[in-house]
Amino acid sequence: MTELNRQMRRRLTFAIISHPDSGKTTITEKLLLFGGAIHIAGAVKSGKKVKDSVSDFMEIEKERGISISTSVMGFEYNGRKVNLLDTPGHADFSEDTYRGLSAVDSALLVIDSVKGVEDRTRKLCEVCRMRHTPIATFMNKLDREGKDPMELLDETERELAIGVRPVTWPVGQGRAFKGVYNLVERKLLLFNAGQVERPVDIITIDDLEDPLLEEKVGQSLAKKLRDDVDLISGVYPPFDADEYLSGKATPVFFGSALNNFGVRELLDTLTSLAPHPTPKLSGERIVRPEEEKFTGFIFKIHANMNPKHRDRVAFLRVCSGKFERNATYYHVRSGKPFRTANPTAFMAQDSEIVNEAWPGDIVGIHDTGVFKIGDTLTEGETINFKGIPSFAPQIFRYIVNADPLKEKQYHKGLNQLAEEGVVQIFSKPNQANLRVLGVVGQLQLEVLQYRMEHEYNARCNYRAIDAIIAHWIMSDDLKALKDFVEDQSRKILIDIRGTHIFMSDSPWAFERVKATNPLIRFYSTSEMVEDRDASA
Ligand code: G4P
């Protein structure tokens, strides 16, 4: 096996997806503890305290800015190099999260067993489904009185449109939580609140009729477990690795992250099952990780929060070949060479200069304004990776410069922050000077204003615009598209790639326009959903 193949197969690059408060931060921390990457609890900063205040958000971002290494946490476990990507918890920054998912090969879904499937979970799973990203599921907080496990499975399958395959099963719940039974290995893991080490009480029970079960968990829970297991095996097919790898079904684990229960088993399973880097689709061809030549794309740009240094870090996902420090690569969008001096790798709380990186790795590149999200680096080939789309904004505003003397700063700030993905900028046909901003959440607008002022010394104001829904539009019939754009010109925007966007002021109005314009296709992301399958 070549070095490239060996390194590639060791990589496991994933992200945790969850609704805020489900336990993402707690699990991340436990994974890092077990992976030996951190030694004390409380080292992982949570973004969950951000509510709606821009100053709170900026404070947290500043803290994170100092240690941007928390954006990617790397550690070794079970012979694999694990890269865990952090994604923003706040719903207003969901675009950043969606894009982060383009850089991973699998996802861990965390569901709060008290609340069940929640809003953000649905959206994030939808993004994973579009890309056929394999998902493993952890039902958290079993130490609390939550929903019935059967109901949780049913809800997950129904609401997330993915097959569920329980791998462990809880014995009791809430105060009566005794542990989990591993249905595949036929082992009982007994629960001790707060244990850090691997549970010592692992009992092999091949036959559930074994009286040892009663002895360990009591009569009524033993009976319930037997009944449950009977029921599950009748309803759900056994776990099948291929179904998981193709994103059709998710293995489900139960536990309590806060009590370290079930997390290590989860990590054991992930490191043995989760996929190594998968092929990625580009506009030109499918790029396989084992290809000799290096390719990679930028999926995130992180500003340095220190206003004195306008530098940014661009996060590059290595897709194929070996990435080398000080090599000169081809920056596809500009057609210019780019030399990668001092690339950085991230190991939990630290970052270090790396000399090489392999498919699946995430490298931080010092950026002086060269990169945009979605940019590709190669050894010379023209490749444009797909799957890093913009998502339709839900809030629109006209933006105007509030200080005419600072025209230059205003444009510079606006362009750079748009490149970072803080906001999307659109223009209007025939109105070259008018700019429209699109964001997913209100907080993004405030962050833009704050950062324009503090980092670029520019001020901006917003004016309302009558739109709440937007769709990218396309048509095979170019005349029909041109006519539509002309007829609806008041409601048309143009994105940075020159693609048209149609705004509607209500779902009802949108449906009517759609019905009366059958030649026009409407999309909710900037990339056409159906051609996003990288693994096909
Ligand atoms: P998030 O990153 O997904 O937003 O969630 P986070 O890990 O911050 O967890 C949200 C809350 O749920 C935290 O409590 C955390 O302690 C709690 N939690 C996580 N896992 C479990 C679990 O297995 N059982 C129980 N009972 N609680 C759990 P908090 O009170 O909001 O914060 P904190 O003061 O404890 O940090």
Side-chain angles (χ1 to χ4, degrees):
M1 200 189 291
T2 62
E3 174 72 352
L4 172 62
N5 253 297
R6 201 180 67 77
Q7 293 285 1
M8 187 272 280
R9 282 166 191 280
R10 261 168 44 73
R11 267 38 186 192
L12 191 182
T13 306
F14 77 105
I16 299 180
I17 53 177
S18 63
H19 192 87
D21 268 353
S22 313
K24 187 176 90 160
T25 312
T26 313
I27 291 193
T28 302
E29 194 164 276
K30 305 294 170 173
L31 292 175
L32 294 180
L33 274 170
F34 291 134
I38 54 169
H39 302 287
I40 41 155
V44 179
K45 292 268 181 302
S46 159
K48 80 191 159 81
K49 289 186 189 67
V50 183
K51 291 296 176 223
D52 291 311
S53 142
V54 65
S55 57
D56 281 0
F57 175 77
M58 292 315 295
E59 272 314 306
I60 286 170
E61 275 301 282
K62 268 184 207 156
E63 276 181 37
R64 289 161 62 104
I66 294 165
S67 164
I68 55 164
S69 52
T70 51
S71 295
V72 187
M73 291 157 277
F75 60 92
E76 295 274 338
Y77 189 85
N78 220 358
R80 290 189 82 168
K81 161 84 191 297
V82 183
N83 295 314
L84 169 56
L85 247 77
D86 187 25
T87 47
H90 198 288
D92 281 7
F93 294 87
S94 43
E95 256 202 285
D96 218 19
T97 306
Y98 299 155
R99 280 192 298 253
L101 290 176
S102 67
V104 300
D105 302 299
S106 63
L108 170 63
L109 166 64
V110 177
I111 293 178
D112 180 338
S113 64
V114 181
K115 298 203 184 117
V117 173
E118 293 173 90
D119 194 39
R120 288 263 292 148
T121 320
R122 264 181 226 111
K123 288 220 176 83
L124 292 164
C125 280
E126 215 177 291
V127 176
C128 287
R129 236 192 355 259
M130 291 192 297
R131 302 190 181 117
H132 307 287
T133 307
I135 302 175
T137 302
F138 187 75
M139 298 287 181
N140 192 25
K141 308 196 188 180
L142 261 291
D143 59 317
R144 294 185 53 195
E145 312 293 332
K147 291 192 176 184
D148 180 75
M150 278 298 182
E151 194 188 327
L152 283 169
L153 285 188
D154 188 46
E155 194 177 308
T156 307
E157 186 156 74
R158 205 168 4 96
E159 300 220 6
L160 305 180
I162 186 165
V164 287
R165 306 287 179 260
V167 172
T168 64
W169 193 253
V171 184
Q173 218 173 336
R175 255 171 296 162
F177 184 48
K178 287 277 187 291
V180 295
Y181 184 68
N182 189 314
L183 298 160
V184 179
E185 293 172 3
R186 309 197 78 76
K187 280 181 191 152
L188 180 69
L189 274 66
L190 291 179
F191 171 66
N192 282 319
Q195 64 203 348
V196 176
E197 292 305 318
R198 185 185 287 271
V200 274
D201 297 340
I202 299 178
I203 296 152
T204 304
I205 298 184
D206 285 329
D207 179 357
L208 282 177
E209 295 307 321
D210 192 334
L212 192 61
L213 185 62
E214 264 91 2
E215 206 180 290
K216 295 292 174 190
V217 304
Q219 210 163 19
S220 79
L221 285 178
K223 177 173 182 323
K224 182 160 188 324
L225 178 63
R226 287 181 192 124
D227 292 348
D228 282 353
V229 170
D230 263 356
L231 193 63
I232 302 163
S233 44
V235 179
Y236 301 106
F239 171 69
D240 174 74
D242 287 338
E243 272 189 323
Y244 158 63
L245 292 174
S246 60
K248 292 197 180 79
T250 176
V252 181
F253 301 80
F254 291 82
S256 165
L258 191 63
N259 294 291
N260 289 309
F261 193 79
V263 180
R264 193 188 273 266
E265 292 64 38
L266 179 73
L267 189 56
D268 285 344
T269 310
L270 281 181
T271 45
S272 66
L273 274 185
H276 51 66
T278 47
K280 299 277 175 231
L281 185 71
S282 75
E284 293 74 20
R285 63 183 184 84
I286 288 173
V287 178
R288 306 203 170 272
E290 60 274 20
E291 289 178 20
E292 283 297 315
K293 292 207 164 141
F294 158 78
T295 63
F297 65 86
I298 307 290
F299 65 95
K300 175 187 170 101
I301 295 176
H302 198 304
N304 189 327
M305 288 306 186
N306 182 346
K308 291 198 190 89
H309 304 267
R310 192 75 50 68
D311 301 356
R312 312 186 295 186
V313 176
F315 287 81
L316 173 98
R317 148 87 198 212
V318 180
C319 295
S320 68
K322 177 183 177 184
F323 169 92
E324 282 179 285
R325 180 183 175 191
N326 287 331
T328 299
Y329 292 120
Y330 176 60
H331 180 223
V332 174
R333 186 172 50 79
S334 68
K336 289 185 183 147
F338 180 85
R339 187 164 165 272
T340 54
N342 302 333
T344 312
F346 306 95
M347 296 295 280
Q349 301 295 286
D350 294 320
S351 55
E352 58 179 21
I353 305 287
V354 282
N355 291 319
E356 56 186 41
W358 304 92
D361 281 340
I362 311 290
V363 178
I365 301 178
H366 178 79
D367 174 33
T368 49
V370 171
F371 292 117
K372 278 194 182 144
I373 285 167
D375 279 4
T376 304
L377 289 180
T378 70
E379 290 191 23
E381 188 178 346
T382 296
I383 284 179
N384 290 286
F385 282 103
K386 292 202 163 202
I388 321 139
S390 302
F391 286 81
Q394 281 144 19
I395 301 174
F396 296 87
R397 293 283 183 276
Y398 286 114
I399 178 164
V400 284
N401 180 8
D403 184 350
L405 295 176
K406 300 274 164 60
E407 192 73 15
K408 219 172 114 189
Q409 289 90 331
Y410 168 80
H411 285 293
K412 183 168 179 187
L414 194 57
N415 286 338
Q416 289 204 352
L417 293 174
E419 277 165 19
E420 240 183 68
V422 177
V423 290
Q424 292 182 57
I425 300 186
F426 307 101
S427 54
K428 294 210 77 177
N430 310 325
Q431 286 175 284
N433 289 326
L434 207 53
R435 289 282 174 275
V436 175
L437 292 186
V439 293
V440 178
Q442 179 71 30
L443 191 53
Q444 278 172 282
L445 289 176
E446 293 167 36
V447 167
L448 179 81
Q449 247 168 354
Y450 181 99
R451 291 191 53 190
M452 286 285 275
E453 199 170 327
H454 289 81
E455 293 171 38
Y456 297 91
N457 195 19
R459 284 187 302 118
C460 58
N461 288 331
Y462 303 129
R463 286 209 330 258
I465 183 169
D466 210 10
I468 56 161
I469 312 167
H471 290 90
W472 275 266
I473 52 173
M474 284 288 196
S475 176
D476 295 328
D477 184 333
L478 291 183
K479 170 142 191 337
L481 185 63
K482 189 165 167 277
D483 290 348
F484 181 81
V485 167
E486 270 169 24
D487 286 352
Q488 302 283 347
S489 67
R490 230 171 34 82
K491 297 182 174 170
I492 298 288
L493 297 178
I494 302 169
D495 78 0
I496 45 168
R497 296 174 195 84
T499 313
H500 290 104
I501 291 168
F502 173 69
M503 300 183 287
S504 332
D505 50 18
S506 71
W508 178 82
F510 168 64
E511 286 306 326
R512 209 180 47 149
V513 169
K514 198 168 141 188
T516 49
N517 291 280
L519 292 175
I520 308 292
R521 296 193 305 272
F522 296 84
Y523 298 97
S524 54
T525 76
S526 62
E527 262 178 24
M528 308 314 130
V529 173
E530 56 266 30
D531 67 9
R532 245 194 286 140
D533 182 3
S535 52

